[in-house]
Amino acid sequence: MRVPSRSPGQQPGPPVSPTAPARRRPSGTPPRRRPATEPDLAAYRAAVAELLVEVGALADAASTRARQVLIDERLREPALAGVLDATPQGLIGARETLLLEMARYQPNERTSARDLTALVRIYLLSRIDVLWWQDAPTFVTDDQVNGSADLVDLEWLRRRDLLRFRYQEQPATMLGRAARGLRRRLRPDATPRTAGLLFRRARREVVALLNDLAREFAAAAPPNTPPLWVTSLVRSAEHQYRLRRLGYAAMLPSGHCLGYSVDVELSWFERFGAREALAELLLARQETGEINVIDEGQAWHLCLAPSARRRLRRAYEAEMGV
């Protein structure tokens, strides 16, 4: 379906503020030296998987010191150090941040890090996002997300039947939250159990990626499986800190705050016999180098690779007729 040649980011309504997202690197700070060769991400992911087995064996409280020694030793190995040292924090900064995250960790019902092993997995694999997009601007405040011309309004696209995936927004009022709670009690499995999107906005390349994934999932899943469900998109750093205070495993820096990361529902699709099909699809995309994938339990985190950005931007423009 083609629409008039007008960007969905310029739909009718009040003008958006011209606020531009801020850079993470302070003004005047020299850029971090890039490695002569790109780090081996397959070796990095394999090394993370091996480390997680060892962390799991030292999960009890009495092993705190042993875990610290393990982390300190393993992160210096070439497969891990090659990626971490190429991020803005560097190897030492990444190590100190991970140890601090582990020291502060408190299990709760909200966090996707169900245990220390999951926390380490989420943190280390999310450093691939940071490596890829370290020069991208960060959306620091909620106003920057809502006012950015680099993001499009999903609702504008949904009403024109231009989205192949589904999402729900967070209720903005007490009445809306009460209505959401009532629907969940009456039909507890009708939709995934997620808070929904605070911002219904996304980068054009991410919309193209999700539409593409949704079409492939629809072809691979059993009949009558609902469409791909997105649980989180762009966030501001301001919101990321709010999530951390609430107990969520919201890492910083984060690809969500750059607009290139999304979370998609996995667990809910088990009831349709489609979870494994979706997981295989996502991992296959990772193998091609198009995305980074992090298993966060109920939802999986995806980050678009810079190498796929141009192709997906062209795909968006072709699909939307702009």
Side-chain angles (χ1 to χ4, degrees), residues 1 3 6-9 11 151-165 167 200-204 206-208 211 316 319-320 322:
M1 173 180 177
V3 298
R6 182 180 62 182
S7 167
Q11 63 269 30
L151 305 175
V152 293
D153 185 352
L154 295 183
E155 188 65 10
W156 193 92
L157 296 172
R158 186 191 67 80
R159 290 176 180 175
R160 288 154 180 80
D161 195 31
L162 294 169
L163 297 182
R164 306 278 72 84
F165 57 91
Y167 63 91
R200 64 182 193 198
R201 297 172 64 76
R203 289 190 182 273
R204 292 161 177 82
V206 170
V207 172
N211 271 349
Y316 174 88
E319 187 171 2
M320 305 301 166
V322 297

Side-chain angles (χ1 to χ4, degrees), residues 19 64 186 299:
T19 306
T64 300
L186 295 176

Side-chain angles (χ1 to χ4, degrees), residues 20-26 34 88 129-140 150 203 253-261 303-304 306 309:
R23 294 277 174 179
R24 287 178 295 149
R25 184 181 296 119
R34 298 281 187 151
D129 303 3
V130 176
L131 168 70
W132 278 348
W133 295 107
Q134 59 186 284
D135 295 324
T138 295
F139 295 103
V140 178
D150 293 328
R203 289 190 182 273
S254 169
H256 284 289
C257 302
L258 310 175
Y260 291 108
S261 292
C303 183
L304 173 66
R309 182 182 181 186

Side-chain angles (χ1 to χ4, degrees), residues 217 220-222 225-226 266 268-280:
F217 178 51
T225 299
L266 261 288
W268 183 63
F269 286 106
E270 288 182 358
R271 63 193 307 266
F272 304 100
R275 184 189 184 280
E276 290 307 312
L278 180 53
E280 290 176 5

Side-chain angles (χ1 to χ4, degrees), residues 51-172:
L51 173 59
L52 295 178
V53 174
E54 296 178 282
V55 171
L58 299 172
D60 58 289
S63 300
T64 300
R65 177 58 182 164
R67 285 197 304 269
Q68 292 175 343
V69 172
L70 172 69
I71 294 294
D72 188 54
E73 291 179 349
R74 292 293 182 267
L75 294 193
R76 297 177 189 275
E77 295 177 354
L80 293 170
V83 169
L84 298 177
D85 202 42
T87 64
Q89 278 188 308
L91 171 60
I92 301 303
R95 170 191 172 277
E96 294 302 315
T97 300
L98 176 56
L99 291 175
L100 184 60
E101 292 282 356
M102 294 174 70
R104 291 177 172 175
Y105 173 73
Q106 294 290 334
N108 63 79
E109 294 182 354
R110 289 173 169 167
T111 182
S112 56
R114 295 303 182 187
D115 52 32
L116 276 175
T117 303
L119 178 75
V120 174
R121 179 179 67 250
I122 291 169
Y123 177 80
L124 289 178
L125 293 180
S126 70
R127 297 311 89 186
I128 296 176
D129 303 3
V130 176
L131 168 70
W132 278 348
W133 295 107
Q134 59 186 284
D135 295 324
T138 295
F139 295 103
V140 178
T141 66
D142 294 353
D143 287 342
Q144 288 179 353
V145 174
N146 289 321
S148 175
D150 293 328
L151 305 175
V152 293
D153 185 352
L154 295 183
E155 188 65 10
W156 193 92
L157 296 172
R158 186 191 67 80
R159 290 176 180 175
R160 288 154 180 80
D161 195 31
L162 294 169
L163 297 182
R164 306 278 72 84
F165 57 91
R166 291 183 183 172
Y167 63 91
Q168 65 182 5
E169 295 182 68
Q170 289 187 20

